[in-house]
């Protein structure tokens, strides 16, 4: 008979960590006497980061005495106390390789159902003083698990734990954890996991993504689509020379370059929505400059077309505008990107502003090329006719789509701009405009433009009934940071590291979206730690090669890992939390 050994609770508190403050509830203390368990929590307990912990599906975290003993032997420690692993229930019994998702237990007068393994998180390592703990929990098959509360009630240390129902499929916590985080992901096991109704929605979403990959056939993608968005591997590593074979003016500030292979071989087909990395040398005495530009031409064409907005102080765009000419050669990285047109039969909403038209124009090109019967809405915001790129091209493409609709706004139309011909209305898209258009709720929406435009349009679409999972956005600059639990403060612009270590510098590290190139020194630690030192926006959760939140496109170069990740990233990408450069590298961040 399993037994509840200790009930542990704790409210979130601020902890100093690596020069920042982390708001976390990982510190739990045993309590004596009965404790009431409610649908979302235990009385006296709380979580600092509700995006990753807590909620109905993760109301109670369970960890076992047997795992305590395992880690005491492995780490050669004898200082553990109940609640050390952030668990609410320390139990004798209920091993991860015996408990199954969907099992139900009565403890005291409360009833619980097992929903998922523990999620990987750096904070358990913070609590234990072992930075690799998140990876160790997975690789040693001892994650612990969450339960939801079916019947509220009181529990206390010493209560017997009585199993009252078995989950369908008899899929253990350890099996479920390994299926997501470790290499393999066999299709029959994914299907088995998805037959368990009690499995939490987040894990179901991850397994469906892995199952979709399995249905597409082995080799179609690499990496772990259950943890991050994956795409086919880049067609070539690093950069290849391509010749400029055409230059076109698209608007007052936007121009397009058409590129062909310098060796006259066919270019690999790009996917609608992808971009190219271009390496330039504006300053002969300075480091190269790498910039990303969306592909705006027809996917599958013999050439690539990129479209560039000349920014007033843009080093790369100004250089291209002033110096690029037909016959010149550019260093070009293979098409990349996760902002991709979904292959489906649902309606498509393509919303853009300014130069944000470029990736969605490639999607429109792809839809028009196959005369798609899907309902296709083109919504574009421009200042006026002089600043309206691709106007005629879009009108021609829309005539090839039997169920197309176009709505164009000019914020400040000129006297020569024709309402009803050049644009649909004067003003800006807002919630009322979008609501009046009555967009179909089953549509897949693709947004690109200034950050405020995309935020407003995404909010408007959600207000019209579109689920967040159907709304995709493309950001030209650095992505927003994901730093769970870290208390937000002022965010300076990316900069060189505040302190340059002594000794001979190593390979150069280019943060492409942030426009920053830095000589590497081993004292920086990992690529993630270098990015943090330079205030480059970063994304991470486990910081030890498990969760893939930090997975970043590797535009060029190679990295070494320490520790080795639990599962490798997609080809052409790197896990920056546990890697260092072995040659000059470019990271898409």
């Amino acid at each position: 008979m399993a037994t509840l050994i200790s009930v542990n609770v704790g409210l979130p508190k601020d902890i100093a960590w690596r020069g920042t403050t982390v708001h976390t509830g990982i510190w739990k203390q045993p309590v004596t006497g009965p404790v009431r368990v409610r649908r979302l929590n235990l009385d006296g307990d709380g979580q600092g980061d509700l995006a990753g912990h807590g909620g109905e599906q993760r109301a109670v975290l369970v960890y076992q005495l047997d795992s305590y003993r395992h880690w005491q032997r492995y780490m050669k420690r004898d200082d553990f106390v109940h609640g050390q692993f952030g668990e609410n229930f320390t139990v004798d019994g209920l091993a991860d390789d015996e408990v199954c998702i969907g099992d139900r237990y009565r403890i005291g007068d409360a009833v619980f159902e097992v929903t998922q393994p523990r999620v990987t998180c750096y904070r358990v390592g913070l609590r234990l003083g072992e930075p690799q703990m998140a990876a160790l929990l997975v690789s040693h098959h001892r994650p612990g698990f969450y339960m939801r509360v079916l019947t509220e009630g009181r529990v206390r240390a010493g209560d017997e734990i009585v199993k009252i129902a078995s989950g369908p499929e008899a899929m253990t916590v350890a099996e479920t954890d390994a299926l997501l985080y470790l290499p393999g992901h066999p299709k029959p096991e994914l299907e088995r996991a998805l037959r368990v109704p009690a499995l939490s929605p987040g894990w179901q979403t991850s397994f469906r993504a892995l199952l979709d990959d399995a249905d597409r056939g082995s080799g179609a993608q690499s990496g772990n689509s259950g943890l991050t968005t994956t795409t086919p591997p880049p067609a070539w590593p690093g950069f290849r020379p391509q010749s400029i074979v055409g230059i076109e003016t698209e608007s007052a500030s936007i121009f397009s370059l058409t590129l062909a292979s310098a060796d006259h071989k066919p270019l690999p087909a790009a996917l609608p929505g992808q971009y190219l990395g271009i390496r330039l040398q504006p300053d002969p005495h300075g480091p190269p400059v790498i910039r990303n530009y969306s592909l705006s031409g027809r996917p599958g064409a013999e050439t690539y077309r990129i479209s560039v907005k000349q920014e007033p102080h843009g080093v790369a765009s100004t250089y291209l505008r002033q110096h690029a000419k037909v016959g010149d050669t550019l260093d070009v990285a293979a098409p990349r990107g996760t902002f991709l047109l979904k292959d489906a039969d649902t309606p498509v909403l393509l919303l853009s502003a300014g130069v944000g038209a470029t990736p969605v124009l490639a999607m429109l090109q792809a839809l028009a090329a196959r005369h798609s019967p899907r309902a296709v809405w083109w919504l574009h915001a421009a200042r006026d006719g002089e600043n309206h790129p691709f106007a005629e091209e879009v009108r021609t493409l829309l005539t090839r789509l039997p169920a197309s609709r176009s709505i164009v706004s000019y914020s400040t139309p000129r006297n020569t701009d024709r309402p009803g011909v050049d644009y649909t209305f004067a003003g800006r898209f807002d919630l009322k405009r979008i609501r009046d258009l009555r967009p179909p709720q089953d549509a897949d929406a693709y947004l690109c433009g200034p950050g405020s435009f995309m935020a407003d349009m995404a909010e408007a679409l959600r207000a019209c009934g579109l689920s967040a999972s159907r709304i995709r956005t493309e950001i030209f600059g650095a992505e927003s940071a994901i730093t769970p639990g870290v208390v937000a403060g002022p965010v300076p612009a990316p900069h060189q590291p505040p302190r340059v270590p002594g000794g001979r510098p190593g390979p150069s590290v280019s943060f492409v979206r942030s426009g920053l190139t830095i000589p590497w020194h081993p004292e920086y630690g990992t690529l993630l730690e270098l990015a943090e030192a330079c205030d480059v926006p970063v994304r991470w959760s486990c910081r030890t090669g498990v969760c893939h939140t930090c997975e970043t496109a590797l535009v060029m170069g190679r990295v070494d890992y320490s520790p080795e990740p639990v599962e490798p990233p997609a080809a052409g990408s790197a896990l920056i939390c546990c890697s260092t450069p072995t040659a000059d590298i470019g990271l898409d961040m």
Side-chain angles (χ1 to χ4, degrees):
M1 180 71 70
T3 305
L4 178 58
I5 300 299
S6 179
V7 179
N8 316 299
V9 300
L11 294 175
K13 59 181 179 179
D14 289 344
I15 301 295
W17 176 74
R18 296 175 56 85
T20 66
T21 299
V22 175
H23 189 63
T24 176
I26 191 71
W27 270 263
K28 308 292 185 190
Q29 302 296 329
V31 293
T32 58
V35 178
R36 185 157 188 85
V37 180
R38 305 184 188 275
R39 185 175 66 88
L40 298 180
N41 232 326
L42 282 74
D43 282 357
D45 193 46
Q47 295 81 30
D49 171 24
L50 292 176
H53 305 275
E56 181 178 356
Q57 300 293 324
R58 299 173 296 205
V60 177
L61 179 60
V62 179
Y63 211 56
Q64 309 90 350
L65 279 182
D66 184 60
S67 287
Y68 267 74
R69 290 187 283 266
H70 171 83
W71 295 118
Q72 284 173 327
R73 292 190 299 270
Y74 180 83
M75 302 171 73
K76 297 179 173 58
R77 289 175 58 172
D78 60 3
D79 58 339
F80 291 164
V81 296
H82 295 150
Q84 186 88 34
F85 291 81
E87 79 276 8
N88 300 113
F89 291 172
T90 311
V91 300
D92 189 8
L94 302 187
D96 288 333
D97 59 359
E98 295 176 356
V99 171
C100 298
I101 306 298
D103 284 356
R104 294 184 176 185
Y105 296 93
R106 184 183 304 280
I107 309 174
D109 53 6
V111 176
F112 305 86
E113 181 177 61
V114 179
T115 58
Q116 67 171 71
R118 175 205 297 265
V119 293
T120 58
C121 172
Y122 75 104
R123 281 160 287 205
V124 66
L126 177 63
R127 175 69 176 88
L128 287 158
E130 172 47 75
Q132 295 184 30
M133 200 65 216
L136 292 171
L137 291 170
V138 172
S139 61
H140 286 236
H141 307 284
R142 294 178 177 272
F145 57 89
Y146 284 105
M147 300 192 296
R148 70 186 181 113
V149 179
L150 300 180
T151 302
E152 295 184 354
R154 292 182 180 273
V155 299
R156 65 190 304 162
D159 283 346
E160 290 185 340
I161 302 173
V162 181
K163 186 177 182 179
I164 59 175
S166 296
E169 302 297 326
M171 193 164 199
T172 69
V173 168
E175 287 178 302
T176 306
D177 195 61
L179 185 59
L180 179 59
Y181 291 116
L182 298 181
H185 321 295
K187 181 177 178 181
E189 294 302 293
L190 294 169
E191 293 172 334
R192 178 183 166 208
L194 288 168
R195 290 194 293 267
V196 182
L199 184 66
S200 67
W203 282 65
Q204 289 185 32
T205 298
S206 293
F207 287 147
R208 286 195 189 97
L210 287 166
L211 187 59
D212 287 344
D213 270 3
D215 287 339
R216 280 191 287 267
S218 61
Q221 320 243 112
S222 62
N224 188 326
S225 60
L227 299 174
T228 189
T229 304
T230 59
T231 62
W236 66 83
F239 292 88
R240 284 186 179 177
Q242 293 186 11
S243 300
I244 301 175
V245 296
I247 302 176
E248 296 290 337
T249 297
E250 309 293 357
S251 73
S253 61
I254 297 170
F255 60 98
S256 293
L257 303 179
T258 301
L259 307 173
S261 176
D263 58 10
H264 307 293
K265 293 181 179 179
L267 290 170
L271 298 175
Q274 288 188 310
Y275 59 84
L276 298 180
I278 308 294
R279 182 169 62 186
L280 305 169
Q281 191 79 44
D283 181 356
H285 305 291
V289 171
I290 303 172
R291 294 291 186 270
N292 295 333
Y293 295 109
S294 291
L295 288 155
S296 59
R298 178 176 62 84
E302 294 182 355
T303 56
Y304 292 152
R305 184 181 73 175
I306 59 171
S307 297
V308 180
K309 180 181 180 182
Q310 183 177 4
E311 301 289 353
H313 304 289
V315 173
S317 62
T318 299
Y319 178 82
L320 287 171
R321 185 73 163 196
Q322 295 178 354
H323 297 282
K325 59 184 182 296
V326 172
D328 285 354
T329 298
L330 297 177
D331 288 338
V332 180
R336 284 176 169 82
T338 59
F339 183 66
L340 302 177
L341 179 66
K342 182 180 178 182
D343 187 12
D345 57 6
T346 50
V348 181
L349 307 183
L350 304 174
L351 289 81
S352 61
V355 74
T358 51
V360 293
L361 175 59
M363 296 179 183
L364 184 65
Q365 294 267 13
L367 292 164
R370 56 179 181 260
H371 300 278
S372 173
R374 299 171 71 176
V376 178
W377 290 28
W378 177 266
L379 284 72
H380 181 72
R383 184 184 306 156
D384 53 31
E386 187 181 20
N387 292 277
H388 182 184
F390 315 110
E392 288 299 327
E393 183 176 341
V394 167
R395 280 193 279 268
T396 300
L397 293 170
L398 290 171
T399 63
R400 301 176 193 168
L401 296 165
S404 65
R405 184 177 182 186
S406 174
I407 303 98
V408 175
S409 73
Y410 282 1
S411 58
T412 53
R414 303 169 301 171
N415 293 335
T416 54
D417 293 331
R418 299 165 295 173
V421 179
D422 300 318
Y423 65 100
T424 311
F425 68 89
R428 301 180 187 275
F429 287 105
D430 55 19
L431 173 59
K432 183 179 185 306
R433 293 277 188 188
I434 298 298
R435 182 175 284 154
D436 289 346
L437 292 172
R438 302 173 65 87
Q441 295 185 5
D442 62 341
D444 291 307
Y446 302 87
L447 283 61
C448 189
S452 58
F453 169 83
M454 290 191 291
D456 290 345
M457 293 300 95
E459 181 180 356
L461 291 173
R462 288 192 297 269
C464 292
L466 272 73
S467 69
S469 63
R470 290 188 172 275
I471 303 170
R472 298 165 179 83
T473 58
E474 174 74 325
I475 299 171
F476 287 153
E479 293 187 293
S480 58
I482 296 176
T483 55
V486 175
V487 177
V491 181
H495 54 80
Q496 292 289 323
R499 187 183 70 83
V500 177
R504 184 176 179 180
S508 67
V509 178
S510 293
F511 297 110
V512 174
R513 291 178 182 252
S514 301
L516 201 61
T517 298
I518 301 152
W520 173 258
H521 287 269
E523 290 183 35
Y524 289 138
T526 65
L527 288 166
L528 171 59
E529 290 168 333
L530 172 60
E532 290 174 325
C534 300
D535 286 304
V536 172
V538 291
R539 295 181 162 214
W540 51 264
S541 180
C542 74
R543 299 183 71 95
T544 186
V546 181
C547 71
H548 288 235
T549 304
C550 74
E551 187 166 328
T552 304
L554 188 61
V555 180
M556 66 173 185
R558 299 182 306 277
V559 299
D560 274 346
Y561 288 103
S562 180
E564 285 291 326
V566 171
E567 180 174 22
S573 296
L575 300 180
I576 64 171
C577 72
C578 53
S579 61
T580 57
T582 60
D584 292 349
I585 65 169
L587 292 166
D588 190 22
M589 57 187 298

XYZ file of all heavy atoms in Angstrom, residues 399-432:
271
model
N -7.144 37.187 -59.127
C -8.074 36.778 -60.194
C -7.986 35.287 -60.477
O -8.899 34.719 -61.093
C -7.788 37.559 -61.489
O -6.469 37.241 -61.956
C -7.927 39.055 -61.268
N -6.897 34.642 -60.041
C -6.744 33.203 -60.275
C -7.354 32.368 -59.154
O -7.296 31.136 -59.207
C -5.256 32.858 -60.402
C -4.543 33.598 -61.519
C -3.064 33.273 -61.508
N -2.310 34.184 -62.364
C -0.993 34.294 -62.373
N -0.279 33.533 -61.544
N -0.390 35.137 -63.178
N -7.893 33.015 -58.164
C -8.480 32.318 -57.018
C -9.985 32.520 -57.033
O -10.463 33.658 -56.904
C -7.876 32.843 -55.718
C -6.373 32.574 -55.560
C -5.788 33.418 -54.446
C -6.131 31.092 -55.279
N -10.763 31.470 -57.179
C -12.214 31.622 -57.344
C -12.936 32.140 -56.112
O -14.058 32.642 -56.225
C -12.672 30.201 -57.689
C -11.601 29.305 -57.145
C -10.330 30.072 -57.270
N -12.312 32.025 -54.935
C -12.985 32.459 -53.704
C -12.121 33.475 -52.967
O -11.899 33.368 -51.767
C -13.285 31.255 -52.811
N -11.625 34.466 -53.697
C -10.731 35.451 -53.088
C -11.489 36.714 -52.710
O -12.552 37.017 -53.253
C -9.592 35.805 -54.042
O -10.089 36.464 -55.191
N -10.883 37.447 -51.771
C -11.449 38.719 -51.321
C -10.288 39.631 -50.946
O -9.325 39.181 -50.300
C -12.363 38.503 -50.116
C -13.085 39.753 -49.634
C -14.023 39.431 -48.483
N -14.749 40.612 -48.052
C -15.567 40.658 -46.988
N -15.751 39.555 -46.273
N -16.180 41.771 -46.660
N -10.349 40.900 -51.337
C -9.262 41.841 -51.067
C -9.807 43.064 -50.346
O -10.798 43.665 -50.782
C -8.591 42.266 -52.376
O -7.626 43.272 -52.140
N -9.152 43.435 -49.246
C -9.474 44.654 -48.504
C -8.163 45.374 -48.235
O -7.272 44.822 -47.561
C -10.214 44.366 -47.178
C -11.498 43.568 -47.430
C -10.522 45.669 -46.461
C -11.333 42.086 -47.214
N -8.015 46.579 -48.766
C -6.795 47.369 -48.634
C -7.132 48.686 -47.960
O -8.092 49.365 -48.351
C -6.144 47.623 -50.007
C -4.944 48.552 -49.869
C -5.723 46.298 -50.650
N -6.355 49.035 -46.949
C -6.559 50.320 -46.270
C -5.393 51.247 -46.559
O -4.238 50.806 -46.596
C -6.696 50.116 -44.756
O -5.449 49.808 -44.176
N -5.686 52.524 -46.792
C -4.660 53.566 -46.871
C -4.877 54.489 -45.682
O -5.965 55.050 -45.508
C -4.801 54.378 -48.163
C -4.271 53.716 -49.424
C -3.723 52.440 -49.391
C -4.316 54.394 -50.638
C -3.246 51.848 -50.546
C -3.839 53.810 -51.808
C -3.301 52.530 -51.756
O -2.839 51.948 -52.906
N -3.844 54.657 -44.872
C -4.011 55.507 -43.688
C -4.096 56.979 -44.070
O -4.855 57.745 -43.465
C -2.861 55.276 -42.708
O -1.609 55.531 -43.324
N -3.333 57.409 -45.081
C -3.371 58.813 -45.530
C -3.334 58.838 -47.064
O -2.283 59.131 -47.666
C -2.174 59.603 -44.956
O -0.960 58.912 -45.278
C -2.293 59.768 -43.452
N -4.431 58.518 -47.718
C -4.423 58.454 -49.191
C -4.133 59.819 -49.821
O -4.512 60.873 -49.290
C -5.824 57.964 -49.529
C -6.663 58.287 -48.330
C -5.757 58.198 -47.156
N -3.462 59.787 -50.979
C -3.207 61.000 -51.753
C -4.444 61.332 -52.587
O -5.343 60.497 -52.781
C -2.014 60.786 -52.685
C -0.729 60.377 -51.987
C 0.305 59.920 -53.014
N -0.207 58.797 -53.793
C 0.388 58.295 -54.876
N 1.537 58.827 -55.303
N -0.133 57.277 -55.526
N -4.473 62.536 -53.106
C -5.605 62.934 -53.953
C -5.715 62.072 -55.198
O -6.809 61.885 -55.757
C -5.472 64.410 -54.350
C -5.634 65.342 -53.156
O -6.282 64.975 -52.171
N -5.052 66.538 -53.229
N -4.572 61.547 -55.651
C -4.586 60.737 -56.873
C -4.917 59.275 -56.616
O -5.106 58.507 -57.575
C -3.209 60.824 -57.554
O -2.196 60.452 -56.602
C -2.942 62.237 -58.055
N -4.974 58.859 -55.354
C -5.320 57.467 -55.046
C -6.831 57.275 -55.188
O -7.626 58.083 -54.693
C -4.885 57.118 -53.618
C -3.373 57.105 -53.462
O -2.689 56.810 -54.461
O -2.877 57.391 -52.347
N -7.215 56.188 -55.843
C -8.622 55.979 -56.216
C -9.322 55.032 -55.248
O -9.013 53.845 -55.209
C -8.686 55.411 -57.627
C -8.075 56.315 -58.703
C -7.854 55.536 -59.990
N -6.860 54.470 -59.796
C -6.569 53.555 -60.716
N -7.197 53.572 -61.901
N -5.664 52.617 -60.470
N -10.279 55.543 -54.462
C -11.042 54.639 -53.588
C -11.844 53.642 -54.427
O -12.374 53.974 -55.477
C -11.961 55.593 -52.806
C -12.039 56.831 -53.632
C -10.740 56.945 -54.351
N -11.891 52.415 -53.953
C -12.598 51.380 -54.694
C -11.766 50.748 -55.786
O -12.156 49.717 -56.349
N -10.619 51.340 -56.112
C -9.714 50.785 -57.126
C -8.359 50.502 -56.492
O -7.898 49.363 -56.457
C -9.562 51.737 -58.328
C -8.588 51.147 -59.352
C -10.911 52.034 -58.959
N -7.717 51.549 -56.009
C -6.407 51.374 -55.364
C -6.545 50.885 -53.926
O -5.682 50.146 -53.442
C -5.635 52.694 -55.361
C -5.385 53.214 -56.767
O -5.038 52.396 -57.642
O -5.556 54.425 -56.994
N -7.574 51.322 -53.257
C -7.757 50.938 -51.857
C -9.239 50.823 -51.553
O -10.095 51.362 -52.272
C -7.078 51.939 -50.919
C -7.664 53.340 -50.948
C -8.551 53.760 -49.959
C -7.331 54.241 -51.951
C -9.079 55.050 -49.966
C -7.847 55.519 -51.973
C -8.723 55.924 -50.980
O -9.245 57.192 -51.012
N -9.543 50.109 -50.463
C -10.938 49.845 -50.094
C -11.489 50.923 -49.190
O -12.633 51.367 -49.351
C -11.036 48.475 -49.390
O -10.355 47.486 -50.161
C -12.497 48.063 -49.207
N -10.686 51.352 -48.210
C -11.154 52.393 -47.291
C -9.967 53.193 -46.779
O -8.823 52.712 -46.778
C -11.961 51.811 -46.125
C -11.158 50.987 -45.156
C -10.538 51.577 -44.054
C -11.035 49.610 -45.320
C -9.808 50.822 -43.160
C -10.305 48.853 -44.423
C -9.690 49.463 -43.345
N -10.235 54.421 -46.358
C -9.212 55.268 -45.744
C -9.260 55.065 -44.228
O -10.339 55.051 -43.629
C -9.447 56.731 -46.094
N -8.100 54.905 -43.633
C -8.036 54.659 -42.200
C -7.161 53.456 -41.910
O -6.283 53.096 -42.702
N -7.412 52.821 -40.766
C -6.593 51.688 -40.344
C -7.486 50.508 -39.967
O -8.639 50.689 -39.561
C -5.726 52.073 -39.139
C -4.780 53.244 -39.399
C -3.964 53.570 -38.158
N -3.171 54.777 -38.329
C -1.964 54.806 -38.900
N -1.426 53.686 -39.335
N -1.308 55.947 -39.025
N -6.939 49.330 -40.101
C -7.634 48.148 -39.591
C -7.649 48.205 -38.064
O -6.646 48.494 -37.425
C -6.919 46.866 -40.033
C -7.094 46.538 -41.487
C -6.056 46.738 -42.385
C -8.289 46.016 -41.958
C -6.203 46.424 -43.721
C -8.448 45.702 -43.302
C -7.403 45.906 -44.192
N -8.814 47.943 -37.498
C -8.933 47.867 -36.046
C -9.975 46.810 -35.718
O -10.478 46.109 -36.615
C -9.303 49.232 -35.447
C -10.575 49.828 -36.054
O -11.374 49.066 -36.654
O -10.774 51.053 -35.938
N -10.298 46.680 -34.442
C -11.233 45.643 -34.020
C -12.570 45.769 -34.725
O -13.127 44.776 -35.212
C -11.422 45.701 -32.498
C -12.506 44.765 -31.915
C -12.200 43.320 -32.257
C -12.611 44.960 -30.405
N -13.102 46.993 -34.827
C -14.404 47.171 -35.459
C -14.345 46.786 -36.939
O -15.248 46.113 -37.453
C -14.882 48.611 -35.307
C -16.278 48.856 -35.896
C -16.722 50.284 -35.698
C -18.159 50.485 -36.182
N -18.352 50.052 -37.582
